[in-house]
Amino acid sequence: MSHSFFHFFLISLLLYKNCIAHRYTFTVREVPYTKLCSTKTILTVNSQFPGPVIKVNKGDTIYVNVRNRASENITMHWHGVEQPRNPWSDGPEYITQCPIRPGSDFMYKVIFSIEDTTVWWHAHSSWTRATVHGLIFVYPRPPESLPFPKADHEVPLVLGEWWKRDVREVVEEFIRTGGAPNVSDALTINGHPGFLYPCSKSDTFHLKVEKGKTYRIRMVNAAMNLILFFAIANHSLTVVAADGHYIKPLKATYITISPGETLDMLLQADQNPKRTYYMAARAYQTGNIDFNNSTTIGILSYFSSHKAKTPSFSGYYPTLPFYNDSSAAFGFFTKIKSLYFGQVPVQISRRIITTISINLRMCPQNSCEGPNGSRLAASMNNISFVTPSHVDILKAYYYHIKGVYGTRFPEFPPLFFNFTAENQPLFLETPRLATEVKVIEFGQVVELVIQGTSLVNALDHPMHLHGFSFFVVGVGFGNFNISEGEPSSLYNLVDPPYKNTMTVPINGWIAIRFQANNPGVWFMHCHLDRHQTWGMNVVFIVKNGREPNQQILPPPDDLPPCYE
């Protein structure tokens, strides 16, 4: 009897622990932090910056209770998690939910499915993600194993930006004036600026390694507006996953990572253990705009070495590409290939072509702070997306609420012109303001071509799609040539990377493919937040399929209310 009771107790304890492991509480509150010689209050989750790491096995479902105890609205997005049939917990404010208001709670149901490796979570209301973000470690579900050697240790590595001002003030100012936002004051590694910045000698990330060991770095670029180069002196990195999916191992002396992207990398601790080595990140930036051109430094030292003396600058510094080296940036991006062959859809149901542009809107008496007194804007297919302010699009779609959005997002650019010419007619710079979505039938295979333009300012744009991963079948500079169809010189239909965020090169294009097998309302936007704020966004509505398991799940009971 006692033996059976003991087994029952062990089973009950295991079930209890599994239940606890799948439930998290995120308390959003304002906490004072001191950096760069000054103190300010920032939004945090559980008083941590960066926020806590979530650990799951492939295919898990977790519940995250977000308790808003701050003074502003908040939502949470589970970036790279496809959330099958569950747009209710996807998170973008007024796209799939109304915000969690101060003093309120909402329980997110986060459904993992095909994600294999590192993804991340972040706030998705205004610019709150500047300090509200963290990594998600996905592990194989036993008995599955990794397709690369298991590391001895794992290292979370979050790249970010820091403003000395309250980020809310930065946002309010550039929205009010129509100009560009103030650039950040520092870059950070795991929240630390590094000793090159004022008052930061003790605020430097330090990674201690043991000679002969392998370290798996799980990295995200959580910066608001900067694509970044990163390297570690005298150490090469073997990239084994991107955006939550395995890739062919790629050995690199530097990496390029855009906002929203995640990378898994293996670091071999194989150098002289008596030396100190620095890791560094700085911007990759094209176009004629102001940007933070500083460098954040971290320290890598071996357990057997002497304590690193950060003020002495005695370590080895890595070599990074020049800030506007597009060949270096895309030389890295285009080397990423899927680990698997033959998974990309060869036949497509429809092709959508969209431009992405920086635009200008006129102001009375030229009173704004954009070029020539105008207001800066951004668009897709010349529509500058207007986010609803009272009812979210998902609720409007599900409950058939009229007047919240239109369904006339163009299949093609409204005007065809030399998209990448140096001098463009001024009338092309003015977008149309609208809340237009694109409706897609369930099961269609969509090819989406995203064409950058030179309007106002040619730039690179990291584009992120919610609810799906996609195959990046083509990347190129110049204009996409529709008449060429799918020449082998342009498309990779064998082993293209499978991603959720991909950067459109300056004056260039990308072509992506995905099967619309996830019903719901799904946001697509530039992950440079200034461009998202200006309207470089669109919403895809994927209709329900015929079968019960092809239809949107019912809404949760505690969905945050909307206010008319």
Side-chain angles (χ1 to χ4, degrees):
M1 179 69 70
S2 60
H3 185 72
S4 299
F5 176 80
F6 180 71
H7 276 85
F8 175 78
F9 174 77
L10 286 179
I11 294 170
S12 300
L13 182 63
L14 179 63
L15 291 173
Y16 175 76
K17 289 179 69 177
N18 284 342
C19 179
I20 294 297
H22 287 76
R23 290 184 179 270
Y24 295 82
T25 297
F26 277 14
T27 301
V28 180
R29 58 166 59 95
E30 289 144 336
V31 176
Y33 267 72
T34 300
K35 293 187 185 297
L36 308 182
C37 317
S38 63
T39 300
K40 70 170 185 174
T41 298
I42 65 170
L43 282 180
T44 64
V45 164
N46 300 348
S47 301
Q48 299 176 44
F49 170 67
V53 173
I54 291 176
K55 296 184 178 182
V56 302
N57 287 327
K58 182 176 181 179
D60 278 352
T61 294
I62 66 171
Y63 296 86
V64 184
N65 186 28
V66 176
R67 305 167 67 242
N68 187 358
R69 300 301 179 261
S71 61
E72 61 181 299
N73 295 339
I74 200 80
T75 66
M76 290 292 174
H77 171 53
W78 318 94
H79 186 120
V81 183
E82 295 196 7
Q83 293 275 42
R85 305 170 53 214
N86 187 34
W88 305 104
S89 286
D90 189 49
E93 185 179 37
Y94 289 113
I95 305 299
T96 61
Q97 70 169 97
C98 288
I100 309 168
R101 289 176 166 79
S104 301
D105 301 358
F106 176 49
M107 181 74 78
Y108 285 92
K109 180 181 181 180
V110 187
I111 303 173
F112 293 84
S113 54
I114 65 170
E115 301 80 18
D116 289 306
T117 63
T118 308
V119 289
W120 67 302
W121 60 265
H122 62 80
H124 213 306
S125 50
S126 185
W127 280 28
T128 50
R129 80 168 180 87
T131 55
V132 180
H133 55 251
L135 285 161
I136 303 174
F137 290 8
V138 181
Y139 298 96
R141 178 169 295 280
E144 294 180 8
S145 60
L146 294 168
F148 51 83
K150 185 178 180 180
D152 298 294
H153 302 281
E154 292 187 318
V155 180
L157 211 157
V158 179
L159 304 178
E161 292 183 85
W162 182 268
W163 279 262
K164 294 177 71 172
R165 291 179 64 190
D166 188 322
V167 174
R168 282 181 293 187
E169 295 176 4
V170 175
V171 175
E172 290 166 359
E173 181 180 62
F174 90 88
I175 290 176
R176 183 182 70 254
T177 65
N182 289 345
V183 300
S184 59
D185 297 289
L187 307 180
T188 58
I189 300 175
N190 283 347
H192 302 285
F195 59 76
L196 295 183
Y197 295 100
C199 306
S200 300
K201 290 179 182 178
S202 62
D203 200 358
T204 301
F205 173 66
H206 193 168
L207 174 62
K208 297 278 286 186
V209 299
E210 183 179 348
K211 175 81 172 181
K213 299 292 186 181
T214 301
Y215 294 79
R216 179 179 178 180
I217 296 176
R218 293 180 179 257
M219 175 185 284
V220 63
N221 182 354
M224 299 297 287
N225 291 302
L226 290 174
I227 304 169
L228 297 170
F229 290 122
F230 174 86
I232 302 176
N234 291 31
H235 293 75
S236 64
L237 298 165
T238 302
V239 187
V240 293
D243 284 2
H245 300 288
Y246 300 128
I247 67 169
K248 291 182 174 65
L250 171 61
K251 200 163 187 176
T253 56
Y254 72 91
I255 61 100
T256 317
I257 185 166
S258 295
E261 289 185 315
T262 56
L263 293 174
D264 290 60
M265 299 172 286
L266 299 182
L267 166 70
Q268 302 290 339
D270 57 3
Q271 295 299 300
N272 185 343
K274 296 181 180 180
R275 301 291 185 181
T276 297
Y277 307 89
Y278 296 137
M279 62 185 74
R282 73 177 181 210
Y284 160 63
Q285 182 66 64
T286 56
N288 184 25
I289 64 170
D290 292 333
F291 69 99
N292 183 337
N293 63 355
S294 63
T295 302
T296 179
I297 295 288
I299 300 169
L300 184 150
S301 64
Y302 287 73
F303 280 113
S304 58
S305 67
H306 298 292
K307 184 178 179 180
K309 299 178 181 179
T310 58
S312 67
F313 306 100
S314 58
Y316 292 101
Y317 286 85
T319 300
L320 291 171
F322 198 54
Y323 75 90
N324 63 355
D325 191 340
S326 295
S327 296
F330 283 87
F332 175 80
F333 287 144
T334 55
K335 288 177 184 174
I336 296 176
K337 310 291 183 185
S338 174
L339 182 63
Y340 306 112
F341 292 94
Q343 296 188 333
V344 60
V346 176
Q347 301 296 324
I348 64 173
S349 308
R350 67 193 300 183
R351 173 182 285 145
I352 301 169
I353 300 177
T354 179
T355 54
I356 49 175
S357 305
I358 304 300
N359 301 96
L360 299 177
R361 294 166 49 207
M362 295 302 102
C363 293
Q365 289 79 50
N366 298 326
S367 57
C368 294
E369 294 186 5
N372 302 315
S374 64
R375 173 177 292 277
L376 284 160
S379 67
M380 297 182 67
N381 268 351
N382 206 44
I383 295 176
S384 187
F385 186 84
V386 178
T387 302
S389 58
H390 299 293
V391 178
D392 60 271
I393 293 176
L394 175 57
K395 183 177 181 180
Y397 170 67
Y398 193 82
Y399 290 107
H400 308 287
I401 301 172
K402 304 294 185 182
V404 177
Y405 63 89
T407 58
R408 295 184 177 180
F409 184 82
E411 195 97 352
F412 300 98
L415 290 173
F416 278 88
F417 55 97
N418 184 354
F419 299 119
T420 58
E422 287 190 18
N423 298 303
Q424 302 283 13
L426 293 179
F427 76 90
L428 292 173
E429 295 180 349
T430 303
R432 178 167 72 92
L433 300 179
T435 308
E436 298 289 352
V437 309
K438 195 68 180 175
V439 179
I440 299 174
E441 297 292 331
F442 183 89
Q444 285 190 325
V445 175
V446 178
E447 178 176 299
L448 178 62
V449 178
I450 307 175
Q451 172 71 60
T453 76
S454 59
L455 294 176
V456 181
N457 203 345
L459 297 165
D460 304 271
H461 299 283
M463 301 300 294
H464 170 53
L465 176 60
H466 293 223
F468 297 91
S469 291
F470 49 75
F471 293 97
V472 184
V473 296
V475 181
F477 289 91
N479 295 323
F480 178 80
N481 192 334
I482 300 174
S483 64
E484 290 185 6
E486 300 170 12
S488 58
S489 61
L490 293 182
Y491 278 12
N492 174 7
L493 299 179
V494 177
D495 59 353
Y498 195 46
K499 302 184 88 271
N500 60 65
T501 305
M502 182 61 193
T503 302
V504 180
I506 178 172
N507 284 328
W509 56 271
I510 64 171
I512 66 174
R513 289 185 180 182
F514 64 95
Q515 184 172 23
N517 55 7
N518 191 9
V521 171
W522 306 110
F523 200 30
M524 186 174 203
H525 59 91
C526 181
H527 225 284
L528 302 177
D529 275 50
R530 67 181 186 274
H531 297 167
Q532 181 185 329
T533 302
W534 288 338
M536 192 176 288
N537 319 315
V538 71
V539 168
F540 292 106
I541 294 180
V542 177
K543 296 167 70 173
N544 284 334
R546 294 181 179 178
E547 302 301 323
N549 64 354
Q550 298 173 342
Q551 298 178 12
I552 298 175
L553 295 172
D557 294 334
D558 63 338
L559 199 65
C562 300
Y563 296 97
E564 298 294 340

